[in-house]
Each structure stands twice: as C-alpha cells, then as structure tokens.
Amino acid sequence: MGILRRRRATSDGPVPADRSIVTIADAPPRRNVRVCGQVTRMRARPTSGLPALAVSISDDSGTAIAVWTGRRAIGGVALGRRLVIEGVATRRGDQLEFMNPEYTLLVR
Amino acid sequence: MKVVIAGAGSVGRYMADQLHASGHEVTLVDQTPAVFDRFGSEGPVTWFLGDACEVATLDAVSVADADVLAAVTGDDEDNLVIALLAKQEFGVPRVVARVNNPKNEWMFNEMWGVDVAVSTPHLLTAVVEEAVNVGSFVRLLSLEGGDARLAEVTLTEKSPAIGSAIADLGLPRESTVVALIRDRHVVVPRGDTVLRPNDEVLVLVTGDAEDDVRRVLVG
C-alpha cells in the first residue's frame, strides 16, 4: 500500500510535455507519449513466474506493445478494442514497449 | 555513459568514484542532508539532494537520459520503488538494484523494473561455496532473472568427464563451457580441450539443463 500511495502521490509531479496523440511509428522512446490504436493481439506473458498481460496495439503506422504486470486480463481490453495508451515506452528490438501505461478505452 | 546512483552510502559513493574514474558521467542522489553536507561538496561527481522515490527527483537528475540507474540504498523497499519508477516512468535501459535482505530477492525482477539484482549475501555465499566445494555444482551468478546461470564445478578424479574432450561430453544444447581454470590459469575451452582432475569448469546453463550438466560433470 505504501508503494501505491507513493505512486499516486507522484503522479501529479511534472506534467508531461506532450499530451497529444502521435502515431506509433513517430512515437519516440523514453518520452511520455500518447498513442491510439486497436488491440490486435493479446498474450499472457508471465515474467519471473508472475502473471503479466502483453497487448499489441496497432495503428496505421505500426504496432506497439503494452505490458501490464500482475494481471492476466483487464476488463474491457479485448481484441478489436480501440485504446489510448499513455506512458514512457522503451524500444525492444524494433518494437515500442510500454510498461504499465495509463489506458483509456474507446467506444468501438 | 550517463549513470544515476540512488543512495549515497558507502556503496553508492564508492561506485560513483569508480565509475567517474572510468570516464562515466555520474549523478548521486541522496535524501540525507548530513551525507550531502559531508561529502557532497567534494569531488567531481554531481550530487543531488532529494528523495529518489519521487518522480520529480528522478526527473530533476535527468533519469530520462540516463543509460543506467543503480538503486543501492540500504532499504529494499526504496530500491524497488526507484527501480520501478526508473523503468516505468523513464524507460531506463539498464536498471541495477541492490538487495539488502536476501529474503527480498525474489521480488527483484522484471516485474519491478529490475534488470540486474545484486545481493551481497548471495554473492558471498556463492563465493564461499565455490571455495570449499570440490566435485559439486555451484551456481555463481543468475542472469536474465534466473533464466541463465553461470555455474562452476571443480572436477574430482571420480568425475565421468575426466579424460574426455569437451565436444564429446554430451552436454545439453542449452549449456556451454565458457572457461576452464587449470593450475590458476584461465584456459579458453575448445571442443578438443580434454578435461583433467582439479579443473574448475565454468558453465553457462540456460533453461532446465542444469540436471543434465550436473550428470555430465559431477556424475
């Protein structure tokens, strides 16, 4: 709980410089970005024996992966669903990967 | 390389000096004014007074541009929070965290943003085991969250591997001999290197191949 509180307390820290949505191909790694796309693949990806959910999100420009640790499913996140993802991504191979990003479910 | 070190105790300060001496750009973060006052004014390393568990502090020391972050405070909970923030909020490519209490080591994994966990008690145990154990299989180091392991076996006369060339040992594909220590010299192993008693064999093992490797080298 201490950690959760701390996490929440810090979220009103520095405001990300860019809050507008960029295409996945143009999204720079290691900067706070928002991308929007459709869920094209969902995979359970346990890391170190603990559950994690890896969701591939594609827009017209490319595909990014969002990984949420500690869970096998997220209500409302399903194949075909459109999502907005916000967070800092890292480049793993040639793909952008978000770890525990904020997400917004969009109406289909 | 740009390195941020959280925790300016003796571990953090030593690391900062060493890394700076090897030409890296080092920033030390600590929240204790006393430590800051005492050491912060001297030396070429950049100091920052602040709580590394806060995103604002990490932002202020430009963790977003850091190549490596090392969370080496004396508090495991803090080290985990710092590691998670560095990975999740700043995408630091390599996050190293210090494990103070070995009971906590199981948490220091990818899930908490930790790429490499360093546990002094475990390292000490491995080194002591390595020194006293002959003829048994000693794990020296875990990599990739335990997926790959570096292990050491000192061969006895009884080992079934004695007299065989490495290529003929029948080691599983998930493993490879990476070095041999023979008469205090490191020998780079080749397929035709023949093993002798008292050779220290260093093996890189991935996956579940450990039992097979043990059978081949120890018997």
Side-chain angles (χ1 to χ4, degrees), chain A residues 2-3 6-7 9-11 13-14 30-32 45 47-48 50-52 69-71 87-90 92 97 99-100, chain B residues 53-56 59 63-67 77-78 81 84-85 87-93 109-113 145:
Chain A
I3 287 156
R6 252 188 259 190
R7 282 274 297 121
T10 54
S11 65
R30 304 201 63 189
R31 294 288 173 262
N32 198 296
R45 190 170 90 183
T47 48
S48 322
L50 295 157
T69 52
R71 48 178 71 210
V88 174
T90 49
R92 195 182 256 214
E97 185 169 308
M99 184 184 175
N100 297 319
Chain B
C53 296
E54 300 281 354
V55 171
D59 204 40
V63 170
D65 302 319
D67 300 296
E77 193 195 21
D78 284 353
V81 171
L84 183 69
L85 291 178
K87 192 55 107 183
Q88 187 170 301
E89 307 293 325
F90 298 96
V92 177
N109 56 36
E110 213 181 311
M111 188 124 159
W112 281 93

Side-chain angles (χ1 to χ4, degrees), chain B:
Chain B
M1 297 254 266
K2 185 170 158 49
V3 183
V4 175
I5 300 172
S10 48
V11 174
R13 292 201 309 273
Y14 178 80
M15 283 173 67
D17 285 345
Q18 294 291 310
L19 291 170
H20 180 268
S22 15
H24 299 291
E25 189 193 329
V26 183
T27 306
L28 257 176
V29 185
D30 201 285
Q31 60 172 340
T32 321
V35 179
F36 189 83
D37 292 342
R38 198 160 147 218
F39 301 100
S41 50
E42 57 192 56
V45 172
T46 313
W47 280 67
F48 189 88
L49 179 65
D51 182 0
C53 296
E54 300 281 354
V55 171
T57 305
L58 297 179
D59 204 40
V61 296
S62 309
V63 170
D65 302 319
D67 300 296
V68 184
L69 178 132
V72 295
T73 74
D75 185 318
D76 285 341
E77 193 195 21
D78 284 353
N79 288 346
L80 281 177
V81 171
I82 296 164
L84 183 69
L85 291 178
K87 192 55 107 183
Q88 187 170 301
E89 307 293 325
F90 298 96
V92 177
R94 198 156 186 80
V95 177
V96 181
R98 170 187 176 193
V99 184
N100 293 281
N101 186 337
K103 282 181 183 160
N104 296 329
E105 190 170 13
W106 66 278
M107 290 186 78
F108 285 70
N109 56 36
E110 213 181 311
M111 188 124 159
W112 281 93
V114 178
D115 295 308
V116 183
V118 183
S119 163
T120 318
H122 274 133
L123 279 178
L124 287 172
T125 315
V127 171
V128 171
E129 265 198 318
E130 192 263 337
V132 297
N133 278 341
V134 172
S136 63
F137 188 89
V138 182
R139 283 187 201 171
L140 297 180
L141 194 67
S142 279
L143 308 157
E144 293 296 321
D147 244 17
R149 291 168 303 278
L150 188 65
E152 188 258 15
V153 180
T154 304
L155 301 179
T156 61
E157 307 272 359
K158 291 181 197 150
S159 162
I162 299 296
S164 301
I166 290 173
D168 305 330
L169 285 176
L171 283 169
R173 291 193 67 82
E174 296 79 18
S175 66
T176 185
V177 176
V178 290
L180 271 185
I181 301 168
R182 177 174 288 169
D183 304 329
R184 295 179 174 275
H185 292 290
V186 177
V187 178
V188 177
R190 304 277 174 218
D192 57 2
T193 308
V194 177
L195 298 176
R196 302 184 200 155
N198 298 321
D199 280 353
E200 288 180 38
V201 185
L202 290 164
V203 200
L204 187 71
V205 186
T206 61
D208 306 321
E210 209 168 278
D211 289 341
D212 291 333
V213 173
R214 185 178 286 127
R215 201 165 48 242
V216 168
L217 293 176
V218 182

Side-chain angles (χ1 to χ4, degrees), chain A residues 14-29:
Chain A
V15 178
D18 185 2
R19 287 199 154 257
S20 59
I21 290 172
V22 296
T23 61
I24 290 171
D26 289 338

Side-chain angles (χ1 to χ4, degrees), chain A residues 38-57:
Chain A
Q38 198 165 27
V39 175
T40 50
R41 189 171 183 224
M42 291 181 68
R43 199 158 64 94
R45 190 170 90 183
T47 48
S48 322
L50 295 157
L53 178 68
V55 176
S56 300
I57 293 145

